[in-house]
Amino acid sequence: MKTLLQIQQELAAGQFDFSRHAFRRVVERNISEQEIREAGTRAEIIESYPQDKYSPSGLLLGFTRAGRALHIQVSFTESDATKIITIYEPDPNEWIENRKRK
């Protein structure tokens, strides 16, 4: 299992792959690779999904230099690059301070 530090380092270095779902979301939501790198650098785990469908995963919260909040769900499985399962801006109607579900 990857550690948060490993995931942060891989995201910051651009060492990540997208699921098909995540790739579609990045395009639809106009999220750049640079923003993912910035948000991933100091991302924190806000939810953990040890029993996720395909592999243990977690939801990270990170911020771009411009202050854009991003939720990045990643797989904790060992691999050459961090696998991004989905990515989006948290909806303020569903999240308290981007960290807690309402």
Side-chain angles (χ1 to χ4, degrees):
M1 294 261 290
K2 286 189 180 183
T3 66
L4 177 59
L5 181 59
Q6 287 173 301
I7 291 169
Q8 289 170 329
Q9 290 170 338
E10 288 176 2
L11 291 173
Q15 296 172 326
F16 51 82
D17 295 321
F18 298 107
S19 68
R20 275 193 298 256
H21 172 83
F23 183 76
R24 284 195 301 271
R25 297 302 173 254
V26 162
V27 172
E28 288 172 5
R29 297 166 178 157
N30 197 27
I31 300 169
S32 71
E33 179 180 338
Q34 185 60 35
E35 287 179 305
I36 296 168
R37 287 171 166 236
E38 291 172 7
T41 301
R42 290 188 313 278
E44 60 184 273
I45 299 171
I46 59 170
E47 292 185 354
S48 189
Y49 314 123
Q51 305 300 321
D52 206 3
K53 186 175 181 179
Y54 298 108
S55 68
S57 69
L59 186 63
L60 308 181
L61 168 63
F63 293 90
T64 67
R65 284 199 192 105
R68 183 181 191 186
L70 291 177
H71 279 179
I72 309 169
Q73 185 181 354
V74 299
S75 171
F76 292 146
T77 302
E78 286 291 339
S79 61
D80 292 339
T82 292
K83 175 77 157 219
I84 297 176
I85 299 166
T86 193
I87 184 168
Y88 58 90
E89 284 184 79
D91 181 339
N93 295 317
E94 297 177 23
W95 293 89
I96 300 167
E97 297 178 0
N98 303 312
R99 283 181 172 79
K100 243 187 160 56
R101 289 184 192 269
K102 286 188 173 182

